[in-house]
Amino acid sequence: VVGQAVGDALGGMIQRTIDTTIAFDKLSQVTGASVKFLSGFTEAADDVRIGSEVVNASLTIFSKKLGGVEDALDGSGQTAGAFASKLKDLGITTDNMEEALFQVADVFEKMPNGVDKAALAVSLFGKQGAALIPILNKGRAGIRGMMDDAEATGKVIDQELRDKVIKLAEAQDKLNDSWGGIETRIGA
């Protein structure tokens, strides 16, 4: 009984690691940010009680706006050119999502809390953007420190771990396909 419980717990941990890694890998493909950055930022956000769903949705919107591939999703009618101008006015000097997010955090750290900050968050990150204010208020240095803490505890998925987990998931899928083939042949 104890062995079964331990096996189930380990199996659950492995599956959660696979699912989380695949989700960060997909988000990385959309945003251009590294899996390591995304997992570290998500862990930092979790420390200030911001859920991963909010982080994923907000960073996806921000990266699309940053890349100029999407007009404002917040209903403002803001064009990609107007958004680029807004970023420039804020001092955002890059289209690299990771660096741009740190630059935005530096802006938020210096801004007083209130309606203007909330409106800016929604403008940059979509309708859930205001939920990111607690992490953005930390500024670049604060966020980096929180990400470093997450990495020190083993909660950050780096490229090496990502590669190993993806290989494991692929092998697991092949095994499942083989078992499915056996079931199909036995049942026929």
Side-chain angles (χ1 to χ4, degrees):
V1 173
V2 171
Q4 179 67 39
V6 170
D8 289 347
L10 287 174
M13 284 189 285
I14 291 168
Q15 191 58 53
R16 281 189 299 279
T17 300
I18 290 171
D19 294 344
T20 299
T21 301
I22 289 172
F24 282 129
D25 192 54
K26 288 178 181 178
L27 184 60
S28 174
Q29 292 172 34
V30 170
T31 64
S34 69
V35 169
K36 181 178 180 178
F37 175 85
L38 294 168
S39 66
F41 184 81
T42 301
E43 282 300 324
D46 180 69
D47 289 348
V48 292
R49 309 295 182 256
I50 302 169
S52 62
E53 300 83 12
V54 170
V55 172
N56 293 351
S58 299
L59 293 185
T60 297
I61 290 168
F62 181 63
S63 70
K64 288 178 180 179
K65 289 181 174 188
L66 188 64
V69 296
E70 187 167 310
D71 288 344
L73 293 177
D74 57 10
S76 69
Q78 181 179 26
T79 65
F83 185 76
S85 179
K86 177 187 278 190
L87 290 176
K88 187 176 179 184
D89 291 346
L90 291 171
I92 312 308
T93 60
T94 181
D95 62 356
N96 174 287
M97 209 279 294
E98 294 177 23
E99 179 59 25
L101 186 61
F102 282 136
Q103 290 177 358
V104 167
D106 287 341
V107 169
F108 272 73
E109 182 181 33
K110 295 171 186 156
M111 252 180 115
N113 287 325
V115 176
D116 290 339
K117 185 182 270 190
L120 179 59
V122 170
S123 173
L124 296 174
F125 299 101
K127 64 183 177 181
Q128 295 181 338
L132 290 183
I133 292 173
I135 187 72
L136 296 173
N137 280 344
K138 302 286 184 188
R140 173 193 309 260
I143 294 170
R144 276 203 173 138
M146 294 171 77
M147 291 170 70
D148 289 346
D149 290 346
E151 187 170 9
T153 63
K155 295 188 113 185
V156 173
I157 300 167
D158 63 16
Q159 187 64 38
E160 181 182 355
L161 178 58
R162 177 249 174 236
D163 293 346
K164 289 177 181 178
V165 170
I166 295 296
K167 282 183 184 178
L168 174 62
E170 290 168 352
Q172 190 178 47
D173 186 54
K174 285 181 184 177
L175 179 62
N176 289 340
D177 289 348
S178 295
W179 278 113
I182 291 170
E183 288 175 353
T184 299
R185 294 191 188 283
I186 290 174

